[in-house]
Amino acid sequence: MKNVLIIYYSQSGQLESIARNIAKPFLNSENINLTFHEIQLEKPFPFPWNKDSFFDAFPESFLQIPTALKPVPEEILNTKFDLVLFHYQVWYLSPSIPINSFLKSDDAKKILNNTPVVTISGSRNMWIMAQEKIKVLLKQANADLVGNAALVDRVGNLISVITIVEWMFSGVKKKYLGIFPLPGVSEKDIQESSQFGEIILDSLNNNNFANLQPKLVEAGAVKISSYLVTVDKTANKIFNKWSNIIYKNQKNRKQLLKVFNVYLFLAIWLISPIVYILHLITYPLKLKTIKKETQYYQGV
């Protein structure tokens, strides 16, 4: 009998749905003892968000400043797991505050120590740099990262901005104005994510994770957009400056967050289309770099 732990934090329920679909093959196996753990905060974030609370989460999200969590049950802390499936969201290009808080906790270090971990993200589209930050935190917890899957909203970048914002601020997953696509990871992709669970389970049963990531990539678990990689890296540099300025000037926090709000609007609707055009123009000149980056980010 193998012990498997599924960890997740979900506001809207989307990530929990992904976690439970990927878990289906494990639930159907007589050789697996499966445990779910939902990360819970002492002071939960709101859902749906309002504008003030959404932007107020920016500095601590990007700077990866933890907040207080409810303790992990003793039963989980006292169990040695053969595998952990770790599901996370991306907030402001970083692991969400609940996820970051968990990974920096003593409980996480005890659970993940010398344990194989598969990371699974559910995001709008930019997860690359957040995953790099997750890698650092897992290494600090002495975890063994053996696989990664990234589920994203497949619609265009600017369209997904509109639909995701509407979902976050209304709390209702619907077609905005009746014409926009549904926000978030598609139901089809969520349902089909059980195939990733089958691949992971097979590696666990064979006690061999060496070829897990190539198999997940072959199944479509990790798709890389070179344009979004560029935007993610560039935005991280900019967010680093903004988050530090705001966090270090608490007296002017509200005013600075309003300025950041305006900047973010301009960056999304004016700057990002220009970056996209420049990316298309320079694409042929960067083929070798793009190929190298794609291979790296599809790995673990």
Side-chain angles (χ1 to χ4, degrees), residues 15-34:
L15 204 59
E16 180 179 3
S17 181
I18 291 170
R20 294 194 178 277
N21 273 279
I22 290 178
K24 284 180 179 178
F26 293 86
L27 288 168
N28 294 330
S29 174
E30 295 179 354
N31 299 322
I32 301 297
N33 179 29
L34 193 63

Side-chain angles (χ1 to χ4, degrees), residues 111-161:
I111 293 168
L112 301 177
N113 181 47
N114 197 30
T115 302
V117 175
V118 176
T119 49
I120 299 146
S121 58
S123 64
R124 185 173 71 87
N125 56 20
M126 280 186 277
W127 57 270
I128 292 289
M129 297 310 293
Q131 178 68 8
E132 291 301 293
K133 297 169 188 178
I134 287 281
K135 288 179 183 178
V136 172
L137 294 170
L138 288 175
K139 187 175 182 180
Q140 291 172 352
N142 196 36
D144 181 17
L145 179 61
V146 297
N148 177 53
L151 283 78
V152 299
D153 188 333
R154 292 181 183 271
V155 304
N157 185 42
L158 296 181
I159 292 176
S160 69
V161 170

